[in-house]
Amino acid sequence: MNNTPAEKRALRQQMRRQRRSLSPTQQREAAIGVRNRIRNQLWFLRARHIALYLPNDGEIDPTPLIELCWKMGKAVYLPVLHPIRHNRLWFIHYTPNTRMSPNRFGIPEPSLQKHPRRPAWAMDLVMLPLVAFDADGNRMGMGGGFYDRTFSYKLKGKGIKGARLIGLAHEFQRVGELPVQPWDVPLFGIVTDRANYLRRQSV
């Protein structure tokens, strides 16, 4: 794939359209598939503070995984748009009783004032959505750069130190190859409803 704005835009549109075309039953089956592929992974079992997300625009739904985390006594956090720093995220503690309100994109998120937050570097595990990925663990997001800016500190440690980043996706979102930019923060791996794609060099 060539790294032109038009080609990247076309790929985003294609994948987002394909995600949105899934039926509720297909989405539920995919969500359970991702949960089942993660639940026995050592990096998941060891993690105590885990960030996930609420699905939007056909993204694979991590709700079964969130419910599993609660059942196992793990602390769950959701990304919240930083009120001051441009295109960066805070992570707010999330429970079944958390009061939510929509952000500027219409996505529900916890209130910044009423819930404890945790800095990005202090998370054990962050599972994030994506639009497309390749088998080498490269990710294409929505283009806002929220996660790349939030975890840019990892570039100095070659992606090893700090929170472990895992992308979640439908298997059909895998493409042959994605271009890598200097500001792209590497993922530990990607988990889909059908397979795990983990970087061997990550620890």
Side-chain angles (χ1 to χ4, degrees), residues 25-99:
T25 297
Q26 289 173 315
Q27 281 283 14
R28 180 66 181 173
E29 290 175 350
I32 292 173
V34 163
R35 180 201 64 190
N36 292 343
R37 298 200 68 85
I38 289 175
R39 66 187 312 161
N40 295 320
Q41 295 292 321
L42 190 59
W43 42 262
F44 172 71
L45 296 173
R46 287 178 172 174
R48 304 307 304 165
H49 298 275
I50 301 177
L52 286 134
Y53 61 91
L54 298 182
N56 180 57
D57 193 51
E59 293 166 344
I60 200 159
D61 187 356
T63 300
L65 195 54
I66 292 173
E67 294 170 350
L68 176 62
C69 288
W70 286 337
K71 184 177 180 180
M72 297 175 70
K74 298 178 183 295
V76 175
Y77 300 79
L78 293 180
V80 173
L81 301 179
H82 199 291
I84 300 173
R85 303 188 70 190
H86 177 64
N87 283 19
R88 283 174 171 81
L89 302 170
W90 273 346
F91 293 92
I92 307 297
H93 193 221
Y94 178 55
T95 73
N97 299 318
T98 298
R99 298 183 67 177

Side-chain angles (χ1 to χ4, degrees), residues 178-199:
L178 286 175
V180 179
Q181 303 293 345
W183 56 83
D184 289 338
V185 176
L187 303 182
F188 175 73
I190 290 124
V191 177
T192 76
D193 49 321
R194 301 291 180 87
N196 293 2
Y197 303 88
L198 303 179
R199 291 177 179 266

Side-chain angles (χ1 to χ4, degrees), residues 64-160:
L65 195 54
I66 292 173
E67 294 170 350
L68 176 62
C69 288
W70 286 337
K71 184 177 180 180
M72 297 175 70
K74 298 178 183 295
V76 175
Y77 300 79
L78 293 180
V80 173
L81 301 179
H82 199 291
I84 300 173
R85 303 188 70 190
H86 177 64
N87 283 19
R88 283 174 171 81
L89 302 170
W90 273 346
F91 293 92
I92 307 297
H93 193 221
Y94 178 55
T95 73
N97 299 318
T98 298
R99 298 183 67 177
M100 310 288 283
S101 58
N103 62 22
R104 69 174 185 263
F105 299 111
I107 302 172
E109 62 179 28
S111 167
L112 286 172
Q113 289 77 27
K114 297 182 179 180
H115 303 286
R117 60 181 180 263
R118 193 171 182 86
W121 58 264
M123 302 302 304
D124 298 324
L125 180 62
V126 177
M127 288 183 268
L128 55 145
L130 53 84
V131 175
F133 72 97
D134 62 27
D136 290 329
N138 300 311
R139 165 188 178 268
M140 174 183 285
M142 292 288 284
F146 290 95
Y147 283 96
D148 284 327
R149 288 186 177 89
T150 301
F151 292 96
S152 60
Y153 73 88
K154 291 174 67 65
L155 294 173
K156 298 177 182 179
K158 299 182 179 179
I160 295 175

Side-chain angles (χ1 to χ4, degrees), residues 9-24 26-27 30 56-60 130-133 142 169-175 193-194:
R9 184 167 56 250
L11 179 59
R12 281 196 179 96
Q13 291 173 346
Q14 173 194 338
M15 290 298 180
R16 293 177 65 191
R17 185 166 53 248
Q18 198 166 346
R19 290 188 318 197
R20 292 193 297 264
S21 72
L22 296 175
S23 69
Q26 289 173 315
Q27 281 283 14
N56 180 57
D57 193 51
E59 293 166 344
I60 200 159
L130 53 84
V131 175
F133 72 97
M142 292 288 284
H170 301 281
E171 180 65 25
F172 65 74
Q173 293 175 254
R174 181 165 67 94
V175 298
D193 49 321
R194 301 291 180 87

